[in-house]
Every structure is written in C-alpha cells, then in structure tokens.
Amino acid sequence: MSGNGFISSIRRLINSPFELLSQQMDDVLGDGGVLKQVVQPGEGPPVPQNASVLIRYSGFLEYSDHPFETNANIKYPQMMKLGRDVTLAGLELGLLTMKKGEFSRFLFQPQYAYGEMGCPPIIPAAAMVLYEVQILDFLDSGQVDDFVTLSLEEQHTAPLSTLLEVVNTLRSFGNRCFNQSRHDNAKDRYKQAVKLLQSRETHSDAEKQKITTALLPLYLNLSLNELRLQSPRKALKYGNKALEIDSANTKALFRCGQAYLELQEYESAQGCLITAQENKPYDTDINNLLRKVAICLKDSLDKQKDMCTKMFQGEKVRNQGLYCIILTAKLFKKCYNYNSH
C-alpha cells in the first residue's frame, strides 16, 4: 500500500476536520447539502432574493490552512448580484439565510459547490468546501430591477412609496460606489434615480413636494461626485439645481464654492462661501476653503495689477519712442529746408 493510501485509510478511521465541524452546524436545506454555523449574529431582516450583497469571504479545502479563493485582502470589495455574480449554488442559498453584520461558516457538499468534476487543478473532484462569509451590507436591488422593467405608465401608477424606496436604494448603491472611488458607477446610479423622479407624473402638491425632497440629496451627491471626476462645470450645474430647491442649503453653497474655485472664478466662490459661512460660522471646511479662496483672489488681483502696470509702462515707452521719431523728423525737415536755401 502506498503512503497516500495508508494515510487515506487512517483518515477513514477517524473523523475528518469537516466531519467534526459538521457536527456543530445546522442543516439549512434538510438534505445535508448546505450546513451552517453562525459565528457572529447579524441584525435586521435576512438578505432578500436578487439582492446585491457586499461580503468578505474565503473558501477552503479540507486539510488546507490557506484559502483557494478570498477577497479578504481587498480594501473595497465590489457589490455582488445574487444570481449573476454569485455563481456557487450553495453560497447563494447560504447568503439568503444571513443578516447584515453576520459572520458564518458554511460547508457545501459537491452538488452545491463545484460538482463531481471539481475545478482542476485547484478544486479536486467531488470536493466538499468550507466558506467563511461576513455580510457587510446588502441592497434590495431586486426591487430596483423589477421597477425599471415596468412601462412608464406602470411606473406612474405604482405607489409613490415604492418609487421612493427604489430611489433610496439607487442612492445607497451610488454612495457605496462613491466610497469605493468608483465615481463613474456612482454617477450612473444617481442619474438613474434622478431620471425616475423627474419622469414621475405628480397628482398633488404633496407628491410634488416629496419628489422635490428626494431630488435634493441626489443633486448634492452628483455635485460632489462631479468634483471628484474633475468636472467643475457639471458640479456647479448640480449645485445650482440643489440651490433652486433650497437656496440656503449649506452643502449646495459649499459645492458651488468648490466648483467656482476650480474654475478660477474666485469672486463667485467667495460669495457662495460667505453665504454658507453665515449658516455655519464655525464650520472648519467652509472657513478653510474661504481662506484659500481669499488667497487665490488676492493673488489674481495682484497679477492683474502687475499686468496693468506693465502695459502702462509699455505704452509710456511706445509714446516716448513716437515722440523721438516725430522730433527727429522735424529736425531733418529743418536741415533740409536750410540746405535748400
């Protein structure tokens, strides 16, 4: 008997690590295919169908101390859409049992993992795998998917509360992308939410007010996001849209001040920031930016002054040169007339 065969025989006589672990786990489906152990409980409702989840995970083979796949070292893991980005059947089923903040371990039988074929050379045939998973956050993007597939008429007749929930999910998705510095993706989410709100047919002043209230944070987010994308004119556009809703909004005034500064329109920037400072006189960000704008404005005025001075001096020199030419011509004329006589 070979060495490997002897070791296999010994292992069959004792419980393997996965077998020992399985004794402490719950049977999720009732067929033993997905076993679960909650290490740290979560809070709130479980992950809904077709949600987008933000998770940290690591997958292990038996007798291995190192994961065969993990995203634990990624600073900003991407949202994963159930049914699309999460392709392991057992993992998707396991995620649907989890809550926000929960950390759990799962054992997946081959039929819920990589099958009888495995995934050579990493996953051997008919392998049971262990996954450690933590739910950082999730969004009910399934509700968004369902809503955007409706016709405009169906969207208009849907309860306003449903639209506002969809918009809030899109904004949360955009915020998540923004925090991960995925600014183009964040912009798409924010603009999708704005489009849904703007296309809504309102039937009362109360509905119109709710739509307007929902638009304000989206315009503010778009303004800041455009600043991150180094598009100050677009940032100014969205900042002004926010001010059309709330002319005294401090964040909108601050965003416009930032945009004007980037555009080197210092007086306009100063005007916005002074108004913002009146609302929040002790705000550090406003005061620091206002000082920066004041320095830039002074430097700009000094440069204009120097330019005007140089222009004046140049004009003076040109005038002196013209005077010399005229004087020389007059002297030449006198000499010519004298010699003629």
Side-chain angles (χ1 to χ4, degrees):
M1 182 183 292
S2 67
N4 288 337
F6 177 75
I7 292 173
S8 298
S9 299
I10 294 296
R11 284 176 177 171
R12 282 195 293 270
L13 295 176
I14 61 174
N15 289 328
S16 71
F18 279 5
E19 288 174 343
L20 289 172
L21 181 60
S22 67
Q23 296 172 11
Q24 308 168 38
M25 306 179 88
D26 298 321
D27 190 345
V28 173
L29 303 177
D31 63 356
V34 178
L35 303 180
K36 176 182 180 181
Q37 179 189 42
V38 177
V39 180
Q40 176 182 308
E43 296 180 348
V47 175
Q49 291 279 351
N50 300 318
S52 293
V53 295
L54 186 65
I55 63 174
R56 292 199 182 279
Y57 65 89
S58 296
F60 297 87
L61 294 171
E62 196 167 23
Y63 303 106
S64 174
D65 294 329
H66 301 286
F68 61 83
E69 72 162 343
T70 183
N71 71 346
N73 299 322
I74 300 176
K75 185 176 181 180
Y76 298 121
Q78 290 193 6
M79 279 274 186
M80 301 173 70
K81 176 76 173 174
L82 296 183
R84 185 186 66 195
D85 303 318
V86 180
T87 56
L88 207 66
L91 181 56
E92 181 163 358
L93 291 168
L95 287 169
L96 292 173
T97 70
M98 298 184 72
K99 300 177 180 180
K100 184 176 179 180
E102 179 181 329
F103 176 73
S104 291
R105 294 191 180 98
F106 293 94
L107 274 176
F108 303 135
Q109 292 290 344
Q111 66 268 30
Y112 292 99
Y114 295 92
E116 294 299 320
M117 298 292 293
C119 188
I122 299 174
I123 311 295
M128 183 185 293
V129 293
L130 168 70
Y131 268 78
E132 295 182 340
V133 185
Q134 182 181 17
I135 294 276
L136 302 177
D137 199 2
F138 66 84
L139 296 171
D140 190 1
S141 55
Q143 185 185 32
V144 175
D145 297 337
D146 292 341
F147 190 85
V148 296
T149 56
L150 298 176
S151 66
L152 282 177
E153 183 179 352
E154 290 173 326
Q155 290 181 8
H156 293 159
T157 56
L160 180 60
S161 59
T162 301
L163 170 63
L164 295 178
E165 286 176 8
V166 168
V167 165
N168 187 56
T169 299
L170 285 169
R171 185 162 70 91
S172 297
F173 217 132
N175 291 346
R176 178 68 61 182
C177 293
F178 179 88
N179 292 332
Q180 296 175 354
S181 299
R182 294 161 50 205
H183 300 300
D184 286 320
N185 292 335
K187 179 179 179 178
D188 290 340
R189 298 293 179 174
Y190 295 144
K191 291 187 73 173
Q192 185 181 10
V194 167
K195 185 177 180 180
L196 288 174
L197 289 170
Q198 289 178 336
S199 63
R200 174 78 177 197
E201 292 180 356
T202 55
H203 303 287
S204 67
D205 290 339
E207 280 197 358
K208 185 176 181 181
Q209 182 57 46
K210 289 180 179 179
I211 294 292
T212 301
T213 301
L215 280 169
L216 179 59
L218 288 167
Y219 287 143
L220 291 172
N221 290 352
L222 277 165
S223 182
L224 179 59
N225 196 69
E226 291 294 353
L227 286 169
R228 294 290 185 272
L229 288 170
Q230 299 182 341
S231 301
R233 292 202 181 278
K234 290 182 179 179
L236 185 61
K237 179 185 75 172
Y238 290 118
N240 283 327
K241 283 183 177 291
L243 289 174
E244 289 174 8
I245 296 173
D246 180 6
S247 60
N249 188 279
T250 305
K251 286 185 178 180
L253 290 165
F254 185 73
R255 300 279 181 267
C256 288
Q258 290 176 299
Y260 277 127
L261 175 60
E262 294 296 324
L263 294 169
Q264 299 183 3
E265 298 181 25
Y266 303 123
E267 291 183 7
S268 296
Q270 191 176 54
C272 289
L273 293 170
I274 287 174
T275 305
Q277 189 186 51
E278 291 172 357
N279 297 338
K280 291 187 176 181
Y282 303 109
D283 188 282
T284 303
D285 291 334
I286 294 174
N287 292 331
N288 287 341
L289 191 61
L290 194 53
R291 280 192 288 270
K292 183 177 180 179
V293 168
I295 293 171
C296 291
L297 180 58
K298 182 180 181 302
D299 290 343
S300 177
L301 292 174
D302 288 343
K303 289 179 181 178
Q304 292 179 30
K305 182 179 177 181
D306 290 342
M307 186 179 297
C308 290
T309 301
K310 291 177 181 178
M311 288 176 62
F312 178 77
Q313 290 175 344
E315 188 67 25
K316 185 176 179 181
V317 169
R318 283 194 294 273
N319 289 340
Q320 288 176 343
L322 181 61
Y323 175 75
C324 291
I325 291 172
I326 294 172
L327 183 61
T328 301
K330 287 182 177 180
L331 290 173
F332 179 79
K333 183 177 181 182
K334 285 182 179 180
C335 292
Y336 176 79
N337 291 335
Y338 177 79
N339 290 331
S340 298
H341 292 296

